[in-house]
Amino acid sequence: MSTVLSDVGGFNTSSAVLRKVARYALVVALLAVFAVFSIAAPGFLTTANLLSILVNNFTLLAIVAIAMTFAVSAGGIDLSVGTAIDFASFAFVSLVLAGQPVALALAAGIGAGALVGILNAALISGIGISPFLATLGTLFIGRSVQQLLTNGGNPVYLPPAGVPESFRFLGRGIVGGMPVPLLIAAAVILVAFVILTRSRFGRVVLSAGIAAGVVRYSGIPLRSYIAVTYVLVSAIAAIAGLVLTSTVTVYIPSSGNAFLLNAIGATFIGTTLSRHGRPNVAGTVLGVLLLSIVANGLLLTGLNFYWQQVGTGLLIFAVLAVSFANRKAAVGV
Amino acid sequence: MLVDAALSPADNTTVTQPSRAPAGRFSRRLTTLILRGGSLAVFAAVLIFFSVSAPYFLSLGNVGNVLAQSAIAGVLAVGLTVVIIAGGGNVVTGGIDLSLAANMGFSAAVYAALSQAGHGDAVAVAGALASGIAIGTVNALAITLAGIIPLLATLGVMNIVAGLELVLTQNTVIPATGDLLTVLSGIGPFDVPALAYVLIGFAAVVALVVQATPLGLRLYAVGEFPEAARASGLSIRPFIVGSFVFSGLCGGIAGILSVSYLSGSSTGAGEFLLPVIVIALLGTVFSRRLVPTITGTLLSALFVGFLVNGFQLLNLSSTLVSGIQGVLILIVVSATTLLRKQETRT
C-alpha cells in the first residue's frame, strides 16, 4: 500500500505549513472542538460536566485504546479486545455472585481476559496467522461462548444489596478527590507509556511494527515478544471490563465490542501526533479525549442522537484525512 | 479458476526444479494435497452429514432456499473479493471494505424511502445504486487522494453511513412494495426463489470479467505485485478506485435485494459485516493457488449458507453458528498459512 501512497503526489508543492498544521491536526481539532462546544452546548463548560467527560466517556475507552495501541505498535491489530472485556466481566460477576472474595474475582477476571490473549498469541505467534484474521476468529468464538454461557445472551445482574463494598469502590469510589476509575486509567496510561518508551520490551515491540524482518534477523526472539504483546493487550482490556462491571453492576454478553471501533479510531488518530505516524501513548490519550469531548458535547447540544453518530464519524474521518495527507507528503518528498 | 491457470508460472518453475530429496518431496506434496483437498473434503463432509441427518436438506426446494438466503451476503462478498484482489491480501494495509454492510443498509433505506414517497421502481433502483456508488466513491477518494489506509477509511465511512441510515429511517423499518420487489421475492423457474438466480447470475458475470478477461488479470497483477504492475506500465490507482466503486455498487445491489427479502428497509445491517468478511476470506480456500476468486467466494457463500441452514434443520442453537464460523476461519486460515510456508520453502 505504501507504494500506492508514494504514487500519489500533489501535496509536495504545498509547503511545510500544511505539514505543520497536519502534524498538530489532533491538537488543533481538540482545541477547536472544545471551543465550539463551550459556546454551542449549554452546560459544557462546567466543572461537573468536564469531570463527567473524564469519568463517563474517557476512562474506559482510554484503557481499551491503550491496549489497542500495543497491538498496533507491534504492527498488528486486535479485534478481540471486546471479547477480553466481556470474559473478564463475566468471570468477575460470576465469582462475586458465588460469594467469593473480590480480590479473587478480580484476579480471575484478569485471568479470563488474558485467556483470550493467550489464544490470540498461539494463533499469531504459534501458527503465523495474520493478527486481523486470528483476532476476528477469536471474536466470533468469544461471542458464541458467551451466548452458550448465558443461555442465549441473558444479562447477569448483581443484586444491589449484598454486593461487597470493595466491589463498588472500584467503579464508584473516590480517593483524594479523584474517582477511582480515573486513577486506574491514569495508572494504565502511565505504565503503558513507561513500557513503550523506556523498556527494552517496548523498543522491540515498536521496531517490530516498523521492520519485523530486521528485528528477527538481529537475533531477537520476535515471536515471543509478539505473543507477550497480545496477552498484554487482552489483560489491559480486561481491566476495562472490571471497571465497567463495577460501575454498572451487570454483565451484558458481547457488550465489550462497543469499544472496539472507537479504540481503533483513537489509536490511529493518535498516530498523527507522532512525527513518523507511529502509534504512541500520548497521541492515543488525546485521541480518546477528542472522541470523549465530541460524544459529550454532541449530547449536550440536544442534536438528534443519530446525527451525533454522523457528526462523530465525519470528525474522525476529517482528522484521519488530514493526518494521512501529511504522512503522504512526508513519504513523497 | 481460469485465472489460476493464467497466473501459475510459479507452479511450473517448482516442477522443473531438480529435486534434491525425492522422498521428502513426495511427503511434502502429500501434505500439500491434504491441506488443499482438505477444505473441499470438509465442504463435502458437511453436506453429506446434513443430508443424512436432515432428509429435507438436499431437496431442490431447500437448496434454492439456501441460495436465496445467501444472495445478500453473497453479493456483498463478491464486492469485497474484488477489493481484496485489487488491494492485495494483507487485510490491514491491503484491500478491505468495512463499509459494505452499512452501505447495504443505507441503500436499502434509500430504496424504501423513495418507494414509500411514491416514486416508481426505476427511481428507487437508481437511488439505491447511486447511493451505493457514492459511498464506494468516497472510500476510493479517501484511500487514493487522502491516502488513508483502507481499513481506517472504510471504518470511518462505515460509521458515517450507519449514522446516515439512522437519520433517514429514525431506526425504524420502512416498508416497501412494488412490482420489482414482488418479482425478486417470488419464485422463479423450477420452484427456485428468484433471489437464487440473481446470486448465480451476478456471480457468473463478475467471475467472467475477473477471471477470464485481461482486465481481471491486471486486477490481480495490481493487487499481488504492485511494483511489477507499475513497471510494466499499469497505473495502480484506477484499479483501486474501480474496485471500491464496484464494491459500493455491490452494496447498492445488496440493498435492493434486502428490501425485497424483508419487504422493507432493515435495521441492524451491520450484523452482516462479519459473515461477509468470513465468506470472502474462506473463498480463497476454494481456489487452487489460494488467491481470492469470485467462484471461490460463491462456493464459500453457499458453504456458509448450507452450514447455517443445516443447523436450523437440525434444530441446533443458532448461537453456535458464529462460533463455528470463527473456528472455520481459524482452521482455514491456519491451513492456508501453513501451505504458504510450505510453498516458499520449496
Side-chain angles (χ1 to χ4, degrees):
Chain A
M1 207 58 214
S2 63
T3 51
V4 176
L5 299 188
S6 56
D7 184 32
V8 190
F11 279 88
N12 298 359
T13 45
S14 43
S15 57
V17 179
L18 174 76
R19 224 171 298 158
K20 272 244 166 59
V21 172
R23 169 86 196 282
Y24 295 103
L26 180 49
V27 179
V28 173
L30 208 53
L31 292 175
V33 164
F34 197 85
V36 167
F37 283 130
S38 300
I39 299 163
F44 176 79
L45 208 59
T46 59
T47 321
N49 185 55
L50 295 182
L51 195 64
S52 136
I53 291 180
L54 286 181
V55 175
N56 296 327
N57 302 95
F58 177 81
T59 310
L60 290 172
L61 183 58
I63 300 175
V64 186
I66 287 294
M68 188 63 76
T69 304
F70 275 99
V72 179
S73 293
I77 196 154
D78 189 344
L79 302 183
S80 64
V81 282
T83 313
I85 294 174
D86 292 330
F87 274 34
S89 172
F90 180 77
F92 186 38
V93 167
S94 305
L95 286 189
V96 170
L97 262 185
Q100 298 295 327
V102 171
L104 180 68
L106 284 176
I110 300 281
L115 216 55
V116 176
I118 291 171
L119 176 61
N120 288 334
L123 293 167
I124 295 166
S125 285
I127 301 181
I129 304 180
S130 81
F132 184 95
L133 296 180
T135 55
L136 182 67
T138 312
L139 166 69
F140 272 106
I141 296 170
R143 187 183 289 178
S144 213
V145 167
Q146 290 179 57
Q147 302 243 332
L148 291 175
L149 287 172
T150 57
N151 290 323
N154 294 313
V156 180
Y157 293 95
L158 282 176
V163 172
E165 203 43 52
S166 47
F167 174 87
R168 278 182 202 287
F169 178 73
L170 195 61
R172 301 195 183 147
I174 287 176
V175 171
M178 295 291 275
V180 173
L182 194 56
L183 291 175
I184 295 175
V188 169
I189 291 167
L190 194 69
V191 171
F193 181 77
V194 171
I195 291 180
L196 275 178
T197 57
R198 298 278 179 274
S199 77
R200 175 184 158 81
F201 175 78
R203 257 199 328 274
V204 174
V205 166
L206 281 169
S207 11
I210 298 166
V214 176
V215 178
R216 202 174 296 119
Y217 290 130
S218 1
I220 295 167
L222 184 62
R223 281 185 168 194
S224 342
Y225 276 93
I226 297 288
V228 172
T229 305
Y230 280 94
V231 177
L232 189 63
V233 170
S234 289
I236 297 175
I239 298 176
L242 301 179
V243 174
L244 172 71
T245 315
S246 310
T247 315
V248 297
T249 63
V250 57
Y251 155 75
I252 301 169
S254 300
S255 57
N257 283 333
F259 295 98
L260 175 63
L261 296 181
N262 280 341
I264 295 178
T267 303
F268 277 92
I269 287 177
T271 62
T272 58
L273 199 68
S274 135
R275 192 178 309 160
H276 303 292
R278 299 288 307 156
N280 61 98
V281 170
T284 299
V285 170
L286 289 186
V288 173
L289 206 54
L290 181 70
L291 293 180
S292 314
I293 290 178
V294 170
N296 172 279
L298 283 176
L299 196 69
L300 291 183
T301 53
L303 201 65
N304 175 317
F305 178 74
Y306 303 135
W307 275 115
Q308 291 179 27
Q309 200 171 334
V310 179
T312 316
L314 282 173
L315 185 97
I316 297 178
F317 200 67
V319 175
L320 286 175
V322 173
S323 132
F324 274 83
N326 163 47
R327 202 162 309 172
K328 201 175 51 184
V331 172
V333 169
Chain B
M1 320 275 157
L2 295 165
V3 74
D4 285 355
L7 279 178
S8 56
D11 288 359
N12 295 336
T13 50
T14 51
V15 170
T16 50
Q17 261 172 11
S19 49
R20 268 162 289 174
R25 235 183 114 74
F26 176 73
S27 73
R28 209 152 43 214
R29 279 205 166 167
L30 192 67
T31 23
T32 308
L33 187 72
I34 291 170
L35 284 174
R36 280 216 171 124
S39 47
L40 280 174
V42 168
F43 192 8
V46 167
L47 288 186
I48 292 169
F49 172 73
F50 281 134
S51 46
V52 169
S53 45
Y56 176 65
F57 184 73
L58 265 193
S59 67
L60 187 62
N62 189 50
V63 172
N65 279 337
V66 171
L67 279 171
Q69 281 166 8
S70 315
I72 300 168
V75 167
L76 291 176
V78 165
L80 183 57
T81 307
V82 170
V83 166
I84 293 177
I85 293 173
N90 184 333
V91 239
V92 177
T93 55
I96 187 97
D97 186 351
L98 298 181
S99 69
L100 261 171
N103 180 343
M104 186 267 285
F106 181 67
S107 301
V110 168
Y111 187 102
L114 285 174
S115 168
Q116 209 189 33
H119 297 285
D121 285 349
V123 175
V125 167
L129 295 185
S131 83
I133 291 174
I135 293 164
T137 309
V138 171
N139 281 328
L141 293 181
I143 290 157
T144 53
L145 276 189
I148 311 180
I149 61 172
L151 183 76
L152 288 177
T154 57
L155 186 73
V157 170
M158 176 187 97
N159 278 327
I160 297 170
V161 171
L164 285 177
E165 187 206 335
L166 291 174
V167 169
L168 184 62
T169 63
Q170 294 299 311
N171 206 9
T172 56
V173 173
I174 302 178
T177 50
D179 294 340
L180 177 70
L181 299 183
T182 316
V183 172
L184 279 178
S185 59
I187 304 287
F190 306 110
D191 272 351
V192 171
L195 280 180
Y197 290 102
V198 173
L199 175 63
I200 301 287
F202 180 74
V205 170
V206 180
L208 265 182
V209 173
V210 169
Q211 284 156 243
T213 65
L215 177 74
L217 195 60
R218 291 190 190 123
L219 200 66
Y220 275 99
V222 164
E224 280 194 70
F225 311 103
E227 275 85 7
R230 206 202 316 271
S232 59
L234 282 177
S235 72
I236 291 172
R237 236 203 301 184
F239 286 94
I240 305 276
V241 170
S243 71
F244 279 98
V245 173
F246 176 73
S247 83
L249 174 70
C250 288
I253 295 173
I256 299 173
L257 298 185
S258 99
V259 173
S260 85
Y261 192 70
L262 302 166
S263 312
S265 76
S266 61
T267 57
E271 290 292 307
F272 263 90
L273 180 61
L274 290 181
V276 166
I277 293 177
V278 171
I279 291 172
L281 294 177
L282 275 184
T284 59
V285 176
F286 295 105
S287 110
R288 205 164 56 82
R289 285 193 66 246
L290 298 177
V291 292
T293 58
I294 304 299
T295 40
T297 297
L298 180 64
L299 279 179
S300 112
L302 296 184
F303 177 58
V304 171
F306 275 117
L307 206 65
V308 174
N309 175 264
F311 274 48
Q312 285 165 352
L313 290 184
L314 291 182
N315 272 331
L316 283 174
S317 155
S318 62
T319 59
L320 272 175
V321 172
S322 83
I324 300 272
Q325 283 180 344
V327 172
L328 262 181
I329 304 186
L330 292 181
I331 291 177
V332 164
V333 175
S334 314
T336 320
T337 313
L338 294 175
L339 201 55
R340 286 238 171 85
K341 272 188 199 158
Q342 203 141 50
E343 276 191 348
T344 47
R345 221 171 285 152
T346 38

